[in-house]
DNA sequence: GGCATAGTTTGATCTCCATCGAAGCGTGAT
DNA sequence: ATCACGCTTCGATGGAGATCAAACTATGCC
C-alpha cells in the first residue's frame, strides 16, 4: 500500500500524538504558555513518571514540545504558537461536537471543589481565591504572567506567609495555572505551594490517600474562607 | 488512577480519530468539500470496504462526518467548516515540523498557490487577499476573530457579493482559517465560500478533478487580482 | 422473481503501544 | 563522599483497535 497520496504532511502522526489521553492532558496543561516539569506533567496527566517521560519523548520527537534543562529540572513547553492554535482548533471541534459531559460522579465533584495540582491548590476554591487576590490588588495579572502586587507582601505576612523567603529558589513566586474543571486559572508557583502548606498545617483540610482530592472540614472551610477570601 | 480528568471537551477522542492513517486519508480526501461514497473513500485510504465502513462509522460517531443516502450510495462529507479548519491547523503543524518532505513536487507547488479548503480558497493567493482586506479595512481582525469592516459591505457589493444575504445561516460570515503552506491565515466562513463561488462562476479558475488544486488561467489570474487584490 | 452492486456486520487474528516496577544516571545538597 | 531527588531507560505485561474474509442486508436493474 505505498500509495503515494498524503496530500499535506503527515497529519495522522501529529494527530495520533494528541490522540492519547495522557498526552492530551499534558498538552492542554501547557496551553497556559508556561513551561512545566516532567513531574508536574505526570501528575496533570494522571500517570507515573516513567510513562510521562515516554510520552514526553514522543511529543519531543514529533516536534510538538521544546525543552529547557535547568538544574536537575527539565522544563517542557509547547514548541510554538502554531501548536497552540492547532490544539484550540481541536478543542473547538470537540466542544461543538459533543457536550459529551461524562457524568460528574462523586469523586469528580470533590475533585472539582478542591484538589492538589502538583504542590498547590486547584479547583473552585483555588479559582475563587485567585480572583479575590487579583481584585484586591494582592496579586497583579498582566496577560498570563502574574506577580505579587504592592499590597501583597503585607497581606501574606499578616497571614503567616513570608513572601520574601520564597524568592530564594529559582522557582517563580507566582505563576498562573489553568484549571481544567473551571475554565479559569489559579495560583501556582512557590506562593501557591506555601498557601497549600498552610492549609494542611492548620488542618483545615487533609489530603486523601493516593488521590489529588483535598477534603476540607466544615470549620476548616470557614477558617480558610475567612483567611484567604476576605 | 481513575483520573478521568477531561479538560471539558474530549480533545483526545477527536484527535485519535484523525490519528489513524486510513481515517486521515479519508478526511483529507474530503477536504475538497465534495461528498464521496464509501467505496471511493476506501480506495482513497487504501483499505478494503469493510475496514473503511468501520472507520466511517467511527468518524460519524465522533461527529466529524455527515452522510446522505442517495439510492444505494451513501455520500459522506465533512460535517462542517469547523472540522475543515481543524484539519488545516493540524496540517500546519505537520508541515512546520515536517521531517523534510521528499520534495515539493509540481503538484505540491500548485497546491501552495491556490487550493480549496472545504468550500473556500486557500494558499498564497488567499493569504494575500486576506492581507489586503485587513489592510484596506474591508475586514477587521481582532486576535483570531475577524468581522466585516465598515467599508466591507460596499466593497463586496461593488464586486457582486451581497454580504447581507450571507448572514442568514447560522454560519459566521467571516472566519479565520490557518493555512498549512504559508504560516498565515486566510478567509473562511460564508464570505470566503462566496468569493470562491464567484471565482469559479467567472471561470477565472477551474477545479482539477479529484483534487484540491484550483488552477487559475492567465487572464483569470489578472482578473482576480484586479478584483480582489486592488 | 432473480441477479448484481453498494454497504454493513460479524468474528477472528495480530500488531502496536500505554503502562508500570525496577534499575540506571545525572544534578544538587549536606 | 554520601545522600536525596528528578528524570530517563529497560523489560514485561496487558489491552485496545486495525485489519480482512465471509456472511448478511438493502437497493437497483432486467
Amino acid at each position: 500500500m505505498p500509495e503515494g497520496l498524503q496530500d499535506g504532511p503527515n497529519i495522522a502522526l501529529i494527530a495520533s500524538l494528541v490522540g492519547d489521553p495522557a498526552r492530551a492532558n499534558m498538552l492542554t496543561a501547557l496551553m497556559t504558555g508556561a513551561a512545566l516539569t516532567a513531574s508536574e506533567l505526570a501528575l496533570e496527566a494522571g500517570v507515573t513518571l516513567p510513562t510521562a517521560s515516554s510520552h514526553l519523548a514522543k511529543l519531543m520527537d514529533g516536534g510538538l514540545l521544546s525543552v529547557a534543562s535547568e538544574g536537575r529540572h527539565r522544563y517542557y513547553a509547547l514548541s510554538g504558537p502554531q501548536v497552540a492554535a492547532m490544539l484550540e482548533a481541536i478543542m473547538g471541534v470537540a466542544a461543538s461536537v459533543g457536550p459529551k459531559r461524562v457524568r460528574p460522579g462523586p469523586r469528580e465533584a470533590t475533585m472539582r471543589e478542591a484538589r492538589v495540582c502538583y504542590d498547590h491548590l486547584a479547583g473552585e476554591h483555588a479559582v475563587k481565591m485567585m480572583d479575590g487576590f487579583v481584585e484586591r490588588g494582592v496579586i497583579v495579572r498582566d496577560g498570563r504572567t502574574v506577580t505579587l502586587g504592592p499590597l501583597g507582601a503585607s497581606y501574606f505576612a499578616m497571614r503567616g506567609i513570608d513572601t520574601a523567603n520564597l524568592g530564594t529558589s529559582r522557582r517563580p513566586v507566582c505563576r498562573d495555572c489553568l484549571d481544567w474543571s473551571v475554565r479559569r486559572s489559579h495560583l501556582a508557583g512557590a506562593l501557591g505551594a506555601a498557601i497549600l502548606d498552610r492549609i494542611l498545617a492548620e488542618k483545615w483540610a487533609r489530603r486523601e490517600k493516593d488521590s489529588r482530592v483535598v477534603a476540607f472540614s466544615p470549620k476548616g472551610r470557614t477558617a480558610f474562607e475567612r483567611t484567604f477570601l476576605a
Side-chain angles (χ1 to χ4, degrees), chain A residues 34-162:
Chain A
L36 299 177
T37 67
S39 313
E40 288 172 313
L41 289 168
L43 244 170
E44 206 61 44
V47 294
T48 61
L49 247 178
T51 305
S53 190
S54 155
H55 285 309
L56 290 170
K58 285 178 171 59
L59 289 171
M60 285 293 297
D61 199 51
L64 298 185
L65 295 186
S66 65
V67 67
S69 292
E70 201 155 315
R72 54 179 166 183
H73 297 269
R74 308 200 73 194
Y75 285 93
Y76 288 91
L78 297 187
S79 64
Q82 264 187 80
V83 176
M86 173 188 73
L87 294 173
E88 268 181 45
I90 299 176
M91 284 179 175
V93 170
S96 77
V97 144
K100 274 296 195 176
R101 276 270 174 242
V102 238
R103 207 164 333 184
R107 173 67 159 278
E108 298 285 331
T110 48
M111 286 266 282
R112 281 183 139 60
E113 188 186 336
R115 66 179 182 280
V116 160
C117 176
Y118 188 60
D119 62 358
H120 58 270
L121 194 67
E124 289 164 11
H125 280 51
V127 171
K128 276 209 193 73
M129 182 171 69
M130 179 63 156
D131 286 352
F133 288 166
V134 173
E135 195 175 321
R136 257 170 278 125
V138 172
I139 285 193
V140 176
R141 138 165 278 135
D142 176 23
R144 270 169 182 162
T145 63
V146 292
T147 48
L148 210 58
L151 310 161
S154 66
Y155 176 93
F156 287 111
M158 259 192 297
R159 283 151 180 86
I161 294 175
D162 182 6

